[in-house]
Amino acid sequence: MKPGDAAYWARIAILFLVRSGRATAALSVMVITAVAALIFLSALAVGVKDAMLRNTVGLFSGHVTGYDLPESIQTEDLMVPGVETVLKRVYLPGVLSGGGFAQPLVLCGIDPVREAERTALKKKIIEGRYPLPGQPEILISRDVSETLGVRIEDRLRFLVQPADNPVEFSVSGIYHTGLDALDREMAFSPLKMIPAKGIPWSAAVFLTGGVTVDAILKLYREHWPEPVRFESWETQMPDLRQLIDLEAISMAIVILLVFGVVAIGIACSFVIFIIRNMREYGIMKAMGVTTAEMSALIVAKVTLMNLVACSVGLLMGMLAVLVVAHTGGIDISAFTSHNRYFAVSGVIAPRLTAFSLWAPPATSLLFSLLAAVCPAVMVAREKAADILRLI
Amino acid sequence: MIQLSHVTKTFRSGRGQVKAVTDVSLSVEAGRFAAIMGKSGSGKSTLLNCMGGLELPDGGEILCFGTPIHRLKAGKLSLFQRRYLGFVFQRGNLLSYLTVAENIGMPLTLNGIVGKVRNQRIEALLADIDLQSAATAMPHELSGGETQRVSVARAIAHHPKLLLADEPTANLDTATGQRIVQLMRDLGQDHGCTIIMATHDREITDIADPIIGLKDGQVVREEK
């Protein structure tokens, strides 16, 4: 036999693992549980980030916002691959009055049908309904309704310039989002009902899953240079970007700590597992098995057990993520009702990423192999007689 | 020939330094069945371990068929041990996760004896130790005597030049012990193997030659 014959030692390792049934099973269960739990935890962290982004972007703004778009550009022009929907909006600053009071705000002209389909603002209506297409109706926030002292079906007037004729609206609904930008200075009415002719429009661009904002921005900016502007949600909402980063850092620290604890647990278990059989290494050493061969045997044992246990753990973790994601996710609405980043829904759906799939098994294998170094060095340094005498 | 010149081995323990072997010089000619006799703690096992390279002496020289094994580097010592030495331990020391046949087969595989030749040799050894039916048995299923028979078969499977046995009969009844010694002698001599056995069993004096008496780590008598 050539020293270091991997196939032979792999076979011996398999025999050892199979015939050390209970010890192998106990250690495997630990690795399986650890890997599955870490995969689920990682997927949950991704899910939290997704939920915050989905809530904030999906409420109204979209992933990309286009400003100062001339009438020559149509919404269809912006429908490039990776874009799911483009909503046309026109922002008109003016003064809204009624009930004896007046409120300066921005009236946003929208396509009520498409907005209701794609954005979640409809879900934030606390009284009444969305404006109907082609009707002189307006959707106002709770703050505005309280400032003006108006209710559903009350009449309001919107004035762009003092010299202009006011446009009259009937209040169709009242909403509350928890976001200052939407609650204090905005109102919505059908696009065709506002005096917006010749005014540049804005686009709310919603992307399909997995498409990066930067790629779409680059494409748009190449096609439509200044003065047309396109900005990502990150530029528009730096607070959300920072919060997501903060959340990512917090989760990374938590996951790192959990990974660390789990990894040390796995490492210690493997050390015990190997040292428990130290006498057998002493016997083999007496038979003339070289240090390299014994190290190969230890590595083969650790690697084979990890491969099997991590595969099972991987499947279990994936299964847990898929089951939770497909049964409605984890509803934390009770804890997010006053959190503006969960304005639409407090449901978190864990999502698997490449990182959440490879990191836990890789951690397990890495720390198990590191754990194997200690007994391997011990076997290498000690004389066979010492091992047989000590253990 | 096994030659030891002024071999010394000292252990450090909680009770200070313990001289296990002190200035031992002896020789055993090839093909002999030698016995190292002495009471418990006389240094028999340490001396045997030094002869087999399981222990490194603090001083002196050990020539094993001309090879100074005390000077061999770890890798070369392992290759020397696997090729030329066989060990029988007091407790048998079979690998617990290998069957009887796999235990006997390991030194064969280590020495490149594989396939049909390996299997035939395992079968022949199992027949020699009268354990053909136990080929697939696990070590924990064997009695003490059976374990030692397998241990002897494993130690001589690769036809070593030197068989070192450390009190292989200590945990056995007299009849079983005699059978083990006889087995070692028969199988060893079949292959021209030199046998050195550490024991405190007086029965061995009938068949061993030479008999090396050890007391407090020193040779007190050598009978031929």
Side-chain angles (χ1 to χ4, degrees):
Chain A
M1 179 186 181
K2 291 175 192 167
D5 188 333
Y8 176 71
W9 294 113
R11 185 175 166 270
I12 294 290
I14 291 169
L15 289 175
F16 173 85
L17 292 172
V18 171
R19 289 170 183 169
S20 305
R22 275 180 291 187
T24 305
L27 192 53
S28 298
V29 166
M30 187 189 167
V31 173
I32 290 166
T33 313
V35 168
L38 287 175
I39 287 173
F40 188 80
L41 196 64
S42 303
L44 200 60
V46 176
V48 171
K49 181 189 152 195
D50 284 353
M52 289 169 71
L53 186 59
R54 189 176 59 244
N55 271 289
T56 314
V57 169
L59 179 63
F60 183 71
S61 69
H63 296 88
V64 174
T65 305
Y67 295 102
D68 299 327
L69 296 161
E71 285 183 327
S72 58
I73 301 174
Q74 301 298 310
T75 54
E76 293 75 23
D77 298 334
L78 302 181
M79 287 295 293
V80 296
V83 172
E84 185 196 298
T85 312
V86 177
L87 299 177
K88 183 177 182 178
R89 292 164 184 168
V90 173
Y91 294 98
L92 199 60
V95 176
L96 191 65
S97 59
F101 297 96
Q103 162 86 48
L105 50 65
V106 175
L107 183 62
C108 180
I110 54 170
D111 178 340
V113 176
R114 297 195 67 207
E115 288 279 346
E117 281 172 2
R118 187 57 188 84
T119 69
L121 190 62
K122 192 179 177 182
K123 292 180 184 173
K124 306 309 287 184
I125 294 174
I126 54 176
E127 203 178 339
R129 55 168 173 73
Y130 227 68
L132 293 174
Q135 296 297 315
E137 293 179 337
I138 191 166
L139 177 69
I140 59 172
S141 70
R142 188 178 67 188
D143 291 2
V144 171
S145 78
E146 286 171 0
T147 303
L148 300 178
V150 294
R151 306 287 306 271
I152 301 294
E153 294 184 357
D154 284 352
R155 307 292 294 179
L156 292 174
R157 290 189 304 163
F158 183 73
L159 196 64
V160 180
Q161 298 285 340
D164 293 347
N165 289 326
V167 184
E168 289 212 349
F169 294 101
S170 160
V171 178
S172 68
I174 298 169
Y175 68 87
H176 179 70
T177 63
L179 296 170
D180 287 349
L182 292 176
D183 286 348
R184 289 191 180 167
E185 298 162 354
M186 293 276 281
F188 302 90
S189 73
L191 190 55
K192 287 179 182 169
M193 303 313 296
I194 66 170
K197 195 166 176 64
I199 296 175
W201 60 284
S202 292
V205 181
F206 294 84
L207 307 183
T208 50
V211 176
T212 61
V213 171
D214 288 343
I216 299 297
L217 274 178
K218 187 168 178 260
L219 201 67
Y220 282 172
R221 283 169 181 163
E222 281 173 5
H223 274 77
W224 296 287
E226 298 274 358
V228 175
R229 287 185 299 123
F230 291 97
E231 287 181 355
S232 70
W233 64 268
E234 290 169 311
T235 313
Q236 295 236 307
M237 292 174 277
D239 55 332
L240 177 63
R241 174 73 268 170
Q242 282 191 342
L243 198 71
I244 285 175
D245 288 345
L246 192 67
E247 193 266 344
I249 291 167
S250 306
M251 279 308 263
I253 292 169
V254 170
I255 288 174
L256 207 66
L257 287 173
V258 174
F259 267 49
V261 171
V262 170
I264 289 168
I266 290 172
C268 291
S269 302
F270 267 99
V271 168
I272 294 166
F273 187 64
I274 296 165
I275 286 182
R276 187 174 150 264
N277 298 290
M278 194 57 87
R279 185 175 187 83
E280 314 248 332
Y281 295 108
I283 298 166
M284 284 194 281
K285 197 159 188 170
M287 289 166 71
V289 177
T290 63
T291 302
E293 288 167 335
M294 255 176 300
S295 300
L297 179 60
I298 291 172
V299 168
K301 282 179 188 176
V302 170
T303 308
L304 286 169
M305 181 191 272
N306 261 286
L307 282 177
V308 175
C310 286
S311 301
V312 177
L314 195 73
L315 287 174
M316 286 183 67
M318 285 170 68
L319 195 67
V321 169
L322 292 175
V323 166
V324 172
H326 285 89
T327 51
I330 299 168
D331 192 347
I332 56 162
S333 302
F335 307 102
T336 58
S337 54
H338 290 87
N339 188 324
R340 63 200 187 105
Y341 299 105
F342 289 90
V344 182
S345 163
V347 175
I348 295 169
R351 179 165 67 88
L352 292 167
T353 60
F355 176 81
S356 61
L357 283 175
W358 70 256
T363 306
S364 171
L365 182 61
L366 176 70
F367 276 81
S368 303
L369 287 172
L370 286 176
V373 171
C374 167
V377 169
M378 195 174 160
V379 168
R381 289 179 62 176
E382 296 283 347
K383 293 281 167 200
D386 291 334
I387 298 172
L388 292 170
R389 200 170 22 241
L390 286 171
I391 308 293
Chain B
M1 181 183 266
I2 317 300
Q3 281 182 298
L4 278 73
S5 306
H6 308 291
V7 170
T8 302
K9 179 69 187 176
T10 305
F11 291 109
R12 289 168 201 272
S13 74
R15 288 180 290 177
Q17 287 196 333
V18 178
K19 281 194 169 181
V21 175
T22 310
D23 195 29
V24 169
S25 297
L26 58 88
S27 63
V28 178
E29 286 176 24
R32 296 282 188 172
F33 187 126
I36 300 172
M37 298 199 68
K39 290 181 180 172
S40 180
S42 60
K44 305 186 294 292
S45 296
T46 304
L47 193 60
L48 212 64
N49 287 340
C50 287
M51 287 180 190
L54 303 190
E55 203 109 61
L56 201 62
D58 299 327
E61 283 205 330
I62 302 168
L63 289 175
C64 193
F65 303 102
T67 303
I69 62 165
H70 60 289
R71 284 197 212 134
L72 292 178
K73 299 269 184 194
K76 286 197 170 171
L77 176 62
S78 292
L79 296 178
F80 184 86
Q81 286 168 325
R82 77 164 58 169
R83 179 65 198 96
Y84 298 112
L85 304 184
F87 288 92
V88 180
F89 298 97
Q90 189 174 328
R91 285 197 279 167
N93 277 345
L94 299 181
L95 295 169
S96 64
Y97 54 89
L98 297 183
T99 64
V100 165
E102 287 161 351
N103 261 288
I104 296 171
M106 183 174 258
L108 296 173
T109 309
L110 288 173
N111 283 290
I113 302 161
V114 292
K116 207 172 170 181
V117 178
R118 175 180 179 274
N119 294 340
Q120 283 173 344
R121 201 179 282 189
I122 292 169
E123 279 174 28
L125 282 162
L126 284 169
D128 289 339
I129 62 173
D130 200 18
L131 279 174
Q132 296 102 314
S133 59
T136 56
M138 299 306 291
H140 66 84
E141 296 170 324
L142 304 176
S143 68
E146 288 172 333
T147 301
Q148 281 302 43
R149 275 144 67 192
V150 176
S151 184
V152 170
R154 183 181 68 181
I156 61 157
H158 55 297
H159 299 165
K161 284 177 131 180
L162 174 62
L163 178 63
L164 298 166
D166 187 5
E167 302 206 45
T169 60
N171 296 329
L172 305 175
D173 60 76
T174 308
T176 313
Q178 281 176 343
R179 195 174 169 203
I180 294 297
V181 172
Q182 194 60 45
L183 187 68
M184 279 170 45
R185 193 181 169 202
D186 293 347
L187 291 177
Q189 284 183 347
D190 284 351
H191 305 295
C193 180
T194 305
I195 301 169
I196 302 176
M197 183 170 127
T199 183
H200 56 257
D201 184 358
R202 293 252 157 229
E203 303 273 335
I204 208 77
T205 52
D206 294 342
I207 53 170
D209 176 22
I211 298 166
I212 300 151
L214 215 60
K215 187 181 179 185
D216 296 332
Q218 290 180 304
V219 176
V220 288
R221 62 193 164 85
E222 197 170 340
E223 297 170 13
K224 303 224 179 191

PDB file of all heavy atoms in Angstrom, chain A residues 180-194:
ATOM      1  N   ASP A 180     -44.461  60.514   6.783  1.00  0.00           N
ATOM      2  CA  ASP A 180     -44.724  61.959   6.760  1.00  0.00           C
ATOM      3  C   ASP A 180     -44.910  62.499   5.346  1.00  0.00           C
ATOM      4  O   ASP A 180     -45.798  63.305   5.089  1.00  0.00           O
ATOM      5  CB  ASP A 180     -43.565  62.707   7.437  1.00  0.00           C
ATOM      6  CG  ASP A 180     -43.594  62.508   8.942  1.00  0.00           C
ATOM      7  OD1 ASP A 180     -44.625  61.983   9.436  1.00  0.00           O
ATOM      8  OD2 ASP A 180     -42.605  62.843   9.608  1.00  0.00           O
ATOM      9  N   ALA A 181     -44.045  62.060   4.433  1.00  0.00           N
ATOM     10  CA  ALA A 181     -44.077  62.580   3.063  1.00  0.00           C
ATOM     11  C   ALA A 181     -45.434  62.333   2.406  1.00  0.00           C
ATOM     12  O   ALA A 181     -45.890  63.129   1.590  1.00  0.00           O
ATOM     13  CB  ALA A 181     -42.981  61.937   2.236  1.00  0.00           C
ATOM     14  N   LEU A 182     -46.074  61.250   2.743  1.00  0.00           N
ATOM     15  CA  LEU A 182     -47.380  60.932   2.144  1.00  0.00           C
ATOM     16  C   LEU A 182     -48.537  61.470   2.979  1.00  0.00           C
ATOM     17  O   LEU A 182     -49.594  61.786   2.439  1.00  0.00           O
ATOM     18  CB  LEU A 182     -47.523  59.410   1.982  1.00  0.00           C
ATOM     19  CG  LEU A 182     -46.615  58.741   0.952  1.00  0.00           C
ATOM     20  CD1 LEU A 182     -46.804  57.231   0.972  1.00  0.00           C
ATOM     21  CD2 LEU A 182     -46.893  59.264  -0.451  1.00  0.00           C
ATOM     22  N   ASP A 183     -48.334  61.568   4.269  1.00  0.00           N
ATOM     23  CA  ASP A 183     -49.455  61.926   5.149  1.00  0.00           C
ATOM     24  C   ASP A 183     -49.677  63.428   5.296  1.00  0.00           C
ATOM     25  O   ASP A 183     -50.778  63.858   5.617  1.00  0.00           O
ATOM     26  CB  ASP A 183     -49.242  61.335   6.542  1.00  0.00           C
ATOM     27  CG  ASP A 183     -49.481  59.845   6.566  1.00  0.00           C
ATOM     28  OD1 ASP A 183     -50.023  59.338   5.560  1.00  0.00           O
ATOM     29  OD2 ASP A 183     -49.122  59.193   7.559  1.00  0.00           O
ATOM     30  N   ARG A 184     -48.617  64.213   5.082  1.00  0.00           N
ATOM     31  CA  ARG A 184     -48.766  65.643   5.395  1.00  0.00           C
ATOM     32  C   ARG A 184     -48.926  66.530   4.177  1.00  0.00           C
ATOM     33  O   ARG A 184     -49.561  67.575   4.252  1.00  0.00           O
ATOM     34  CB  ARG A 184     -47.560  66.118   6.200  1.00  0.00           C
ATOM     35  CG  ARG A 184     -47.566  65.549   7.597  1.00  0.00           C
ATOM     36  CD  ARG A 184     -46.523  66.215   8.467  1.00  0.00           C
ATOM     37  NE  ARG A 184     -46.557  65.640   9.799  1.00  0.00           N
ATOM     38  CZ  ARG A 184     -45.605  65.834  10.704  1.00  0.00           C
ATOM     39  NH1 ARG A 184     -44.565  66.581  10.423  1.00  0.00           N
ATOM     40  NH2 ARG A 184     -45.706  65.289  11.890  1.00  0.00           N
ATOM     41  N   GLU A 185     -48.304  66.127   3.095  1.00  0.00           N
ATOM     42  CA  GLU A 185     -48.234  67.084   1.985  1.00  0.00           C
ATOM     43  C   GLU A 185     -48.718  66.520   0.665  1.00  0.00           C
ATOM     44  O   GLU A 185     -48.357  67.006  -0.392  1.00  0.00           O
ATOM     45  CB  GLU A 185     -46.767  67.556   1.812  1.00  0.00           C
ATOM     46  CG  GLU A 185     -46.232  68.260   3.020  1.00  0.00           C
ATOM     47  CD  GLU A 185     -44.718  68.320   3.035  1.00  0.00           C
ATOM     48  OE1 GLU A 185     -44.089  67.696   2.145  1.00  0.00           O
ATOM     49  OE2 GLU A 185     -44.165  68.970   3.920  1.00  0.00           O
ATOM     50  N   MET A 186     -49.511  65.479   0.714  1.00  0.00           N
ATOM     51  CA  MET A 186     -49.932  64.859  -0.553  1.00  0.00           C
ATOM     52  C   MET A 186     -51.428  64.599  -0.567  1.00  0.00           C
ATOM     53  O   MET A 186     -52.052  64.376   0.468  1.00  0.00           O
ATOM     54  CB  MET A 186     -49.228  63.510  -0.749  1.00  0.00           C
ATOM     55  CG  MET A 186     -47.735  63.603  -0.969  1.00  0.00           C
ATOM     56  SD  MET A 186     -47.326  63.931  -2.685  1.00  0.00           S
ATOM     57  CE  MET A 186     -47.499  62.326  -3.380  1.00  0.00           C
ATOM     58  N   ALA A 187     -51.955  64.629  -1.805  1.00  0.00           N
ATOM     59  CA  ALA A 187     -53.336  64.192  -2.038  1.00  0.00           C
ATOM     60  C   ALA A 187     -53.350  63.581  -3.434  1.00  0.00           C
ATOM     61  O   ALA A 187     -52.454  63.859  -4.251  1.00  0.00           O
ATOM     62  CB  ALA A 187     -54.292  65.361  -1.937  1.00  0.00           C
ATOM     63  N   PHE A 188     -54.318  62.717  -3.691  1.00  0.00           N
ATOM     64  CA  PHE A 188     -54.334  62.002  -4.971  1.00  0.00           C
ATOM     65  C   PHE A 188     -55.687  62.154  -5.663  1.00  0.00           C
ATOM     66  O   PHE A 188     -56.739  62.062  -5.012  1.00  0.00           O
ATOM     67  CB  PHE A 188     -54.058  60.513  -4.732  1.00  0.00           C
ATOM     68  CG  PHE A 188     -52.743  60.282  -4.046  1.00  0.00           C
ATOM     69  CD1 PHE A 188     -52.668  60.242  -2.655  1.00  0.00           C
ATOM     70  CD2 PHE A 188     -51.591  60.124  -4.789  1.00  0.00           C
ATOM     71  CE1 PHE A 188     -51.462  60.044  -2.016  1.00  0.00           C
ATOM     72  CE2 PHE A 188     -50.376  59.915  -4.150  1.00  0.00           C
ATOM     73  CZ  PHE A 188     -50.301  59.878  -2.761  1.00  0.00           C
ATOM     74  N   SER A 189     -55.590  62.357  -6.951  1.00  0.00           N
ATOM     75  CA  SER A 189     -56.837  62.387  -7.737  1.00  0.00           C
ATOM     76  C   SER A 189     -56.542  61.837  -9.128  1.00  0.00           C
ATOM     77  O   SER A 189     -55.369  61.747  -9.527  1.00  0.00           O
ATOM     78  CB  SER A 189     -57.372  63.812  -7.823  1.00  0.00           C
ATOM     79  OG  SER A 189     -56.575  64.561  -8.683  1.00  0.00           O
ATOM     80  N   PRO A 190     -57.582  61.437  -9.883  1.00  0.00           N
ATOM     81  CA  PRO A 190     -57.340  60.895 -11.223  1.00  0.00           C
ATOM     82  C   PRO A 190     -56.596  61.909 -12.090  1.00  0.00           C
ATOM     83  O   PRO A 190     -56.911  63.108 -12.057  1.00  0.00           O
ATOM     84  CB  PRO A 190     -58.747  60.616 -11.756  1.00  0.00           C
ATOM     85  CG  PRO A 190     -59.567  60.422 -10.537  1.00  0.00           C
ATOM     86  CD  PRO A 190     -59.009  61.363  -9.517  1.00  0.00           C
ATOM     87  N   LEU A 191     -55.635  61.380 -12.828  1.00  0.00           N
ATOM     88  CA  LEU A 191     -54.760  62.215 -13.653  1.00  0.00           C
ATOM     89  C   LEU A 191     -55.533  63.145 -14.590  1.00  0.00           C
ATOM     90  O   LEU A 191     -55.190  64.317 -14.767  1.00  0.00           O
ATOM     91  CB  LEU A 191     -53.840  61.284 -14.451  1.00  0.00           C
ATOM     92  CG  LEU A 191     -52.685  61.874 -15.206  1.00  0.00           C
ATOM     93  CD1 LEU A 191     -51.787  62.710 -14.311  1.00  0.00           C
ATOM     94  CD2 LEU A 191     -51.874  60.776 -15.862  1.00  0.00           C
ATOM     95  N   LYS A 192     -56.623  62.605 -15.153  1.00  0.00           N
ATOM     96  CA  LYS A 192     -57.365  63.381 -16.149  1.00  0.00           C
ATOM     97  C   LYS A 192     -58.158  64.525 -15.532  1.00  0.00           C
ATOM     98  O   LYS A 192     -58.673  65.380 -16.251  1.00  0.00           O
ATOM     99  CB  LYS A 192     -58.314  62.452 -16.899  1.00  0.00           C
ATOM    100  CG  LYS A 192     -57.570  61.538 -17.867  1.00  0.00           C
ATOM    101  CD  LYS A 192     -58.503  60.600 -18.578  1.00  0.00           C
ATOM    102  CE  LYS A 192     -57.700  59.683 -19.499  1.00  0.00           C
ATOM    103  NZ  LYS A 192     -58.510  58.594 -20.006  1.00  0.00           N
ATOM    104  N   MET A 193     -58.266  64.509 -14.186  1.00  0.00           N
ATOM    105  CA  MET A 193     -59.081  65.522 -13.539  1.00  0.00           C
ATOM    106  C   MET A 193     -58.281  66.711 -13.021  1.00  0.00           C
ATOM    107  O   MET A 193     -58.829  67.608 -12.409  1.00  0.00           O
ATOM    108  CB  MET A 193     -59.856  64.892 -12.347  1.00  0.00           C
ATOM    109  CG  MET A 193     -60.728  63.722 -12.742  1.00  0.00           C
ATOM    110  SD  MET A 193     -61.729  64.026 -14.205  1.00  0.00           S
ATOM    111  CE  MET A 193     -62.777  65.347 -13.646  1.00  0.00           C
ATOM    112  N   ILE A 194     -56.957  66.689 -13.244  1.00  0.00           N
ATOM    113  CA  ILE A 194     -56.173  67.826 -12.738  1.00  0.00           C
ATOM    114  C   ILE A 194     -55.633  68.655 -13.921  1.00  0.00           C
ATOM    115  O   ILE A 194     -55.419  68.102 -15.014  1.00  0.00           O
ATOM    116  CB  ILE A 194     -55.018  67.377 -11.815  1.00  0.00           C
ATOM    117  CG1 ILE A 194     -53.968  66.565 -12.594  1.00  0.00           C
ATOM    118  CG2 ILE A 194     -55.543  66.578 -10.637  1.00  0.00           C
ATOM    119  CD1 ILE A 194     -52.719  66.319 -11.801  1.00  0.00           C
TER     120      ILE A 194
END
